[in-house]
Amino acid sequence: MFIETLITEPILFFRIVVIVILSVTLHELAHGWAAMSQGDNTPQKTGHLTLNPVIHMGVESLIFLCLTGIAWGQMPVNPAKFRSPTLSNIIVSAAGPLSNLALGILFIALLKFFANPDSPGIFSFEFLYLASRINLTLFLFNLLPVPPLDGFHVFSEIFPQLKPLQHTNFGIFAMMLLFIVPGVGTGLSKIAEFFISVTVGF
C-alpha cells in the first residue's frame, strides 16, 4: 500500500500527500467559485470558500490518502439556484478539472523555466515534475464520463440521455472497474507524462 512509501521513500510520500491535498482543495474551490458566479451562494453559506483541506476533503479522505494515495473532495452546490440549468452546470462541473489543468500547466512552466535538476528541496525538479503529472492525471481522470465524476455531469448535459445513469448502480460499478482494471490509472499517468516531456523537452 501507499503507506509503505512513508518507510521506503518518506520524501516522496510527503510530496505526494502535499500535492494531492493542494490539488483537491483548489479543485473543490474552483467548483465553489464557479457556482457563486452562476448565482448559487451555497458554497459561501456552508463555509466551503476556504483553503482548509479538512473542510473540502474530510478526515476520512485525508486518512485514505495517507493509506492508499487516493483521495476525494466535495463542494456543496444547489443547481436549482443556477442561472442556466444546462450551461451553469457545465461551467461548475468543468471548473474543477480545469483547475487541475491550470495547475499542471503552471507546474510545467516552473519546471521548464526555473527548475534545476540538481537542486534539492521540496520545490526541486522532482517535486515540480510530480506536481504537474498528478494534476494532469487528475484532469484526465475527472473528465471521464462516469458518475459521480465531473466529466459525467458535463457530458450528461450535452447528451441528456445519459442522466438516468446517475441514479443507478452504474456509477459504483464503473468506479470499481476504474480502480480494479490494471492500467487505467497508469494509462492516464502515461498520457500526462508524454505531455510534460513534449512540453518541457526532455
Side-chain angles (χ1 to χ4, degrees):
M1 293 182 72
F2 175 68
I3 189 65
E4 296 173 355
T5 311
L6 179 60
I7 306 301
T8 58
E9 298 181 80
I11 294 179
L12 176 62
F13 175 87
F14 285 110
R15 281 175 174 168
I16 292 175
V17 169
V18 168
I19 292 168
V20 171
I21 289 177
L22 172 67
S23 303
V24 172
T25 298
L26 293 181
H27 175 111
E28 298 304 333
L29 272 176
H31 284 311
W33 290 328
M36 294 284 291
S37 74
Q38 296 304 305
D40 178 20
N41 64 345
T42 303
Q44 185 180 40
K45 288 177 63 178
T46 57
H48 277 71
L49 293 184
T50 173
L51 286 171
N52 185 348
V54 178
I55 298 296
H56 298 294
M57 301 174 66
V59 175
E60 297 86 354
S61 178
L62 291 169
I63 293 174
F64 205 73
L65 168 61
C66 294
L67 292 175
T68 67
I70 299 171
W72 61 89
Q74 187 176 18
M75 173 60 68
V77 298
N78 184 359
K81 295 183 176 181
F82 290 165
R83 295 194 187 95
S84 168
T86 299
L87 181 60
S88 295
N89 196 26
I90 291 175
I91 292 172
V92 174
S93 298
L98 289 177
S99 72
N100 293 123
L101 176 62
L103 283 172
I105 293 173
L106 172 63
F107 284 119
I108 287 175
L110 293 174
L111 187 65
K112 183 175 180 64
F113 297 109
F114 298 106
N116 182 350
D118 300 321
S119 174
I122 191 169
F123 292 107
S124 64
F125 183 90
E126 289 79 9
F127 177 86
L128 294 173
Y129 180 86
L130 187 62
S132 57
R133 180 165 63 83
I134 287 176
N135 273 282
L136 291 179
T137 302
L138 286 173
F139 165 71
L140 295 172
F141 178 78
N142 278 287
L143 281 184
L144 294 175
V146 175
L149 298 179
D150 299 319
F152 176 81
H153 294 288
V154 173
F155 283 103
S156 65
E157 292 296 342
I158 300 172
F159 305 102
Q161 58 269 30
L162 295 176
K163 286 191 175 185
L165 293 176
Q166 186 175 0
H167 306 292
T168 67
N169 292 327
F170 169 76
I172 297 174
F173 177 73
M175 289 294 290
M176 288 176 60
L177 285 179
L178 288 177
F179 288 108
I180 293 175
V181 175
V184 175
T186 304
L188 295 177
S189 184
K190 289 294 183 183
I191 295 174
E193 289 176 1
F194 175 76
F195 182 79
I196 297 169
S197 64
V198 170
T199 306
V200 176
F202 63 83

